[in-house]
Amino acid sequence: MKNKLKLSKYIACICEGGAETAIMDILLSHDLLIFSKEDLLEEEILRCRKAADFEKQYLKKQFDSKISVIRVLDRDNENFNVSKPYKEKIEIVNIVTSPEIEMLIICNENMYEEYCKVKSNLTPSNFCKQYISNLKYNKKMDDIYDYFDTPEKKIGKSN
C-alpha cells in the first residue's frame, strides 16, 4: 500500500512562477488534487518565494495546528528557511517540476523525442516558443490557461 501524503489542516501552496500557478489553479478548479482551494490559506495560491516574506505575512497569525507549505518550483536547491520560532509551526513539501513545467506541453504535443535531440541548446519554454507552431507561448499565466483549457482535454487525458 502506498503512503499517502498527510497534510495539515492549514495549507499554503506557493508557486515559483506564473506557469506553475496556472497549472495548480487549473488542477484545483477541477478538483484534481488531494486538497481544495478552500483548504488553502486565503483560499488562493501564493506567490511568496522568500521565507521571510511568508513568515511576516502568514506565520505571525495564530493557528491551532501546523501549516503544510507546498512549494511548486523548478529547482530543488531553493532554500526556504524560516526563523527558529516558526520552524515547528510548518512542514514543507517541495514539488520540483524540473526542468520546467513546460515539459507538460512538450509531452502533450508528442514532441519529447524531438526535444531530446535539441535540449542541450534550449530550455523547455524556449523549445515551446520555437518548435510548437500552434502555440503562442510567452511564459505567461494566460498562455498556460489557454493551452490547458480543460484538464480533461490536456492534463488529465489518458493515452
Side-chain angles (χ1 to χ4, degrees), residues 10 26 48 53 86 90 96 101 108 122 129:
Y10 304 105
I26 290 167
C48 185
D53 294 341
Y86 299 109
I90 66 170
V96 181
I101 201 78
N108 189 65
L122 293 174
K129 288 177 194 174

Side-chain angles (χ1 to χ4, degrees), residues 7-157:
L7 298 174
S8 301
K9 175 178 163 182
Y10 304 105
I11 301 169
C13 182
I14 302 172
C15 289
E16 181 238 353
E20 291 82 3
T21 301
I23 294 289
M24 291 300 292
D25 193 45
I26 290 167
L27 293 172
L28 281 167
S29 297
H30 290 80
D31 201 28
L32 294 172
L33 298 172
I34 62 171
F35 56 90
S36 69
K37 204 163 200 148
E38 291 77 27
D39 296 326
L40 298 176
L41 294 182
E42 299 188 8
E43 295 189 10
E44 66 182 18
I45 297 165
L46 307 175
R47 292 287 299 271
C48 185
R49 291 181 72 168
K50 294 181 182 176
D53 294 341
F54 178 76
E55 185 178 307
K56 186 180 197 179
Q57 191 165 357
Y58 299 101
L59 296 182
K60 296 194 183 233
K61 299 176 182 177
Q62 293 294 319
F63 293 99
D64 59 6
S65 66
K66 279 189 169 189
I67 300 172
S68 292
V69 178
I70 300 169
R71 298 175 63 227
V72 182
L73 33 109
D74 64 7
R75 279 180 238 102
D76 196 20
N77 61 351
E78 291 188 28
N79 294 325
F80 194 79
N81 297 318
V82 295
S83 302
K84 193 172 184 178
Y86 299 109
K87 286 193 185 289
E88 292 188 19
K89 290 187 174 191
I90 66 170
E91 55 188 2
I92 298 175
V93 177
N94 288 327
I95 299 172
V96 181
T97 62
S98 180
E100 291 180 1
I101 201 78
E102 288 80 7
M103 284 302 294
L104 292 174
I105 296 171
I106 292 168
C107 291
N108 189 65
E109 295 292 326
N110 294 317
M111 297 189 76
Y112 182 72
E113 287 182 27
E114 190 171 338
Y115 169 73
C116 288
K117 291 176 187 173
V118 297
K119 77 177 180 180
S120 62
N121 299 326
L122 293 174
T123 64
S125 59
N126 285 334
F127 179 87
C128 288
K129 288 177 194 174
Q130 291 183 26
Y131 286 89
I132 302 177
S133 60
N134 63 332
L135 183 65
K136 291 182 172 95
Y137 187 69
N138 293 310
K139 217 169 164 69
K140 294 179 183 169
M141 285 177 65
D142 288 342
D143 295 331
I144 296 294
Y145 283 117
D146 290 344
Y147 184 81
F148 292 108
D149 55 358
T150 65
E152 293 83 13
K153 179 180 167 192
K154 302 288 183 190
I155 296 172
K157 81 176 187 181

